[in-house]
Amino acid sequence: GAVTLNAGTSINATSYQWFDLATNTNIANTDTVTITPPVGATTQYYVVVSNGVCSVNDTVSYTVFPSIIAHAGNDTTICIGGSVTLNASSSVNGTNYNWFQMPGNTNIGNSVSVTVTPALGTTSYYVVVDNGNSCSANDTITITAIALPIAHAGNDSILCKPSTVTLNASTSINATSYQWFDVTTNTNIGNTDTFTVTPPVGATTQYYVVVSNGVCSVNDTVSYTVFPSIIAHAGNDTTLCIGGSATLNASSSVNGTNYNWFQMPGSTNI
């Protein structure tokens, strides 16, 4: 920037002459003069003051450093409990960095980068960049930590016959996306909060859903065990004489079953 050279003197001076010391060029003939020293250098100026008989001179120097532009990074949203590394940059080399957390102006680091784990909500940090020669600049970054979503894929179920079931993902947040997967194959099978599937018979099949709010993602798993349908046969209707006995023989379409006989009415177990 521009600076004003001002020659002060204890005598009734009659003349002033300002010079650039490096070139010995006369730059003004008044007691004050405005100049713009070059950036990135130290420039000396001297003034010759005279009262018409005696002359004296004095020198002044100006060192001009480039302007510092500090950048703390872009504002960011993360999941609660997550960490983020703040990386500062500067328009000049050989600078010093000091990071602070607001409010309170707590110093949290003295290097170009620092890792923080902000609390739930919005936290601001700022970096002060200086070149060690009284020149500095600062910039602020805001980190927003949001709550993790809670996903629920449903309750595990046992089905006693081939069935079509609806997978229904519930969540505690305003979710922006849902993705359903078959655990065994990791195949994406749906991208909505509800999805209909027909689990295979004779097996336990697991499905998981990934729920996202655009920043944080969580998942949950549900399993369906499907047994083959059971066809029971109590035998053929029979007529016999009073006092006679009959043996009831049950059969089933599947092995390894349990049998319980009941007499009607009353449903008495026999």
Side-chain angles (χ1 to χ4, degrees):
V3 294
T4 298
L5 303 177
N6 191 340
T9 177
S10 60
I11 61 172
N12 292 322
T14 57
S15 70
Y16 300 86
Q17 289 182 297
W18 283 98
F19 295 86
D20 183 313
L21 184 62
T23 62
N24 206 35
T25 303
N26 177 246
I27 56 174
N29 296 307
T30 56
D31 57 342
T32 61
V33 59
T34 299
I35 58 168
T36 303
V39 177
T42 297
T43 307
Q44 291 182 300
Y45 305 92
Y46 72 94
V47 62
V48 178
V49 181
S50 173
N51 61 3
V53 178
C54 306
S55 296
V56 292
N57 63 73
D58 193 31
T59 302
V60 64
S61 67
Y62 287 92
T63 301
V64 182
F65 294 96
S67 299
I68 298 175
I69 300 174
H71 183 54
N74 298 321
D75 295 344
T76 304
T77 299
I78 65 171
C79 303
I80 185 64
S83 297
V84 61
T85 298
L86 309 179
N87 286 301
S89 60
S90 170
S91 59
V92 297
N93 295 322
T95 51
N96 303 310
Y97 299 86
N98 286 278
W99 284 97
F100 299 87
Q101 180 175 323
M102 301 167 61
N105 297 324
T106 305
N107 182 270
I108 58 172
N110 301 305
S111 59
V112 66
S113 63
V114 60
T115 299
V116 295
T117 304
L120 183 67
T122 298
T123 306
S124 293
Y125 307 88
Y126 69 94
V127 62
V128 177
V129 182
D130 72 80
N131 63 358
N133 291 284
S134 302
C135 300
S136 65
N138 63 74
D139 190 38
T140 301
I141 184 173
T142 297
I143 307 296
T144 301
I146 63 175
L148 287 170
I150 299 173
H152 182 54
N155 298 320
D156 296 345
S157 299
I158 296 176
L159 306 176
C160 293
K161 61 180 180 179
S163 302
T164 296
V165 296
T166 299
L167 304 176
N168 191 342
S170 59
T171 176
S172 62
I173 61 165
N174 293 322
T176 57
S177 70
Y178 301 85
Q179 290 181 296
W180 284 98
F181 295 85
D182 184 309
V183 171
T184 303
T185 62
N186 204 36
T187 304
N188 177 246
I189 57 175
N191 297 306
T192 56
D193 56 342
T194 60
F195 190 75
T196 301
V197 294
T198 304
V201 177
T204 296
T205 305
Q206 290 184 303
Y207 305 94
Y208 72 93
V209 62
V210 179
V211 181
S212 173
N213 60 7
V215 177
C216 310
S217 295
V218 292
N219 62 73
D220 190 40
T221 302
V222 63
S223 68
Y224 288 92
T225 301
V226 183
F227 292 98
S229 297
I230 299 176
I231 301 174
H233 184 57
N236 298 320
D237 295 345
T238 303
T239 300
L240 52 79
C241 298
I242 187 67
S245 298
T247 299
L248 306 179
N249 286 299
S251 61
S252 169
S253 60
V254 296
N255 296 321
T257 52
N258 301 312
Y259 298 86
N260 286 277
W261 284 95
F262 298 86
Q263 182 174 318
M264 298 169 60
S267 300
T268 303
N269 184 272
I270 59 173

